[in-house]
Amino acid sequence: MEPVREKTQDETAEGVVDEVRERYGQIAETAGSCCGPVASPCCGGGEQSVSLQIGYGKKDLSAVPEGADLGLGCGAPIALLGLKPGETVLDLGSGAGIDAFLAAEEVGPGGRIIGVDMTPQMLERARRNAAGSGRTNVEFREGRLEALPVEDGSVDAVTSNCVINLVPDKAAVFAEVARVLKPGGRMVVSDIVLDAPLPEVVQADIAAWVGCISGAMRREDYVALVEGAGLDSVEVLKDDDYGAAMEVAAPDQARALLDRTGAKREDLVGTVRSVTIRAVKPA
């Protein structure tokens, strides 16, 4: 009998990517989410209740096509991106398109929005939303964030909402951001970071990874990757306690994670943070 071969690091990472793609494909098809700091459809809430609590306004939500808001974010980065008419914007992990459509409102008909997502079901939903709303300056491309289907130096601004934490190779993502940005271009992303290490049992929990927790990295390491990609003027624009918000708004989900892994409340509350970070590509 041949010995069981242990998976390589690359194989393990690809397994995580496959699991994330499958889970988010299911979310796209069922229009529900269990990723987010507050209750969502499968946790007893609703998509708009999630989005309102993480920073979107009612005016924002009324401006996007029905079905574009799945309550998947952990912030509202578009409001902090400082978009101008005519700019080209790239949305990483664009999902059903909420941030892409909000950006389209800001840049106007002379601007251009490119959304990139690796999940076919999400792309189908986003493209259907775009077609149904008559928005012609928004397009959605299939691709991985580690190898963006976007030309060098072609975008003015990059955004992302609670997605980079899902990618095993975050350094490659930020290198790609630096590649596609024009000189002087900026990035504003909302994401999950850690202020202390997670227990190994939580790190190994695939449901916690898909739920935007296990894939998060230490705050200082995250910033170091951004700076290592050649971006500077890094600043945290918003910083919230994701663990505490999840505990209050989705207590059953939070308790299930603790029961499943044996982790303690203090391993998450105060440790898992939702931040919005800005950085600039040198001119």
Side-chain angles (χ1 to χ4, degrees):
M1 181 178 178
E2 294 185 3
V4 177
R5 183 179 67 86
E6 292 188 4
K7 291 184 178 180
T8 66
Q9 186 174 0
D10 287 345
E11 288 173 331
T12 300
E14 283 306 303
V16 168
V17 170
D18 290 342
E19 186 71 22
V20 168
R21 183 188 289 111
E22 180 180 351
R23 297 290 183 93
Y24 279 83
Q26 294 170 358
I27 290 169
E29 292 176 338
T30 59
S33 158
C34 270
C35 174
V38 293
S40 58
C42 51
C43 307
E47 293 95 332
Q48 284 209 355
S49 67
V50 176
S51 298
L52 289 172
Q53 292 186 55
I54 61 177
Y56 293 101
K58 291 183 178 180
K59 183 179 179 181
D60 295 328
L61 302 182
S62 65
V64 301
E66 184 178 356
D69 175 23
L70 299 184
L72 294 171
C74 58
I78 299 302
L80 300 172
L81 200 48
L83 294 175
K84 302 172 184 176
E87 289 191 313
T88 297
V89 184
L90 173 63
D91 183 10
L92 307 181
S94 46
I98 179 172
D99 288 319
F101 294 122
L102 286 175
E105 292 289 315
E106 297 293 322
V107 302
R112 181 186 181 199
I113 311 299
I114 303 168
V116 174
D117 204 285
M118 71 172 183
T119 305
Q121 297 94 322
M122 282 292 184
L123 290 164
E124 180 182 357
R125 189 180 183 107
R127 289 165 179 163
R128 190 166 62 244
N129 289 334
S133 64
R135 286 169 169 84
T136 58
N137 63 339
V138 182
E139 65 170 303
F140 296 96
R141 301 177 183 177
E142 183 170 358
R144 295 275 291 269
L145 305 193
E146 310 96 309
L148 292 168
V150 180
E151 295 179 357
D152 295 359
S154 61
V155 302
D156 298 288
V158 173
T159 192
S160 184
N161 197 342
C162 209
V163 176
I164 297 174
N165 71 84
L166 297 169
V167 182
D169 190 353
K170 298 170 181 58
V173 177
F174 292 123
E176 283 291 273
V177 170
R179 177 183 68 80
V180 302
L181 274 175
K182 298 176 182 178
R186 71 275 189 200
M187 173 190 83
V188 175
V189 299
S190 294
D191 211 354
I192 304 299
V193 298
L194 306 174
D195 280 344
L198 291 172
E200 290 186 8
V201 287
V202 177
Q203 294 180 40
D205 188 83
I206 188 62
W209 190 297
V210 175
C212 307
I213 294 175
S214 295
M217 66 191 311
R218 292 288 293 267
R219 179 194 301 259
E220 58 269 29
D221 296 333
Y222 193 100
V223 171
L225 289 183
V226 174
E227 294 175 336
L231 304 176
D232 59 18
S233 302
V234 181
E235 58 180 320
V236 176
L237 304 177
K238 190 176 179 183
D239 184 347
D240 295 317
D241 190 337
Y242 185 89
M246 179 178 172
E247 181 184 55
V248 171
D252 292 343
Q253 187 183 356
R255 174 52 56 188
L257 173 60
L258 298 182
D259 291 345
R260 188 171 63 247
T261 63
K264 299 178 181 179
R265 175 182 180 274
E266 53 267 30
D267 292 326
L268 302 178
V269 175
T271 294
V272 184
R273 312 292 302 185
S274 170
V275 298
T276 299
I277 292 178
R278 185 179 190 274
V280 178
K281 181 175 179 177

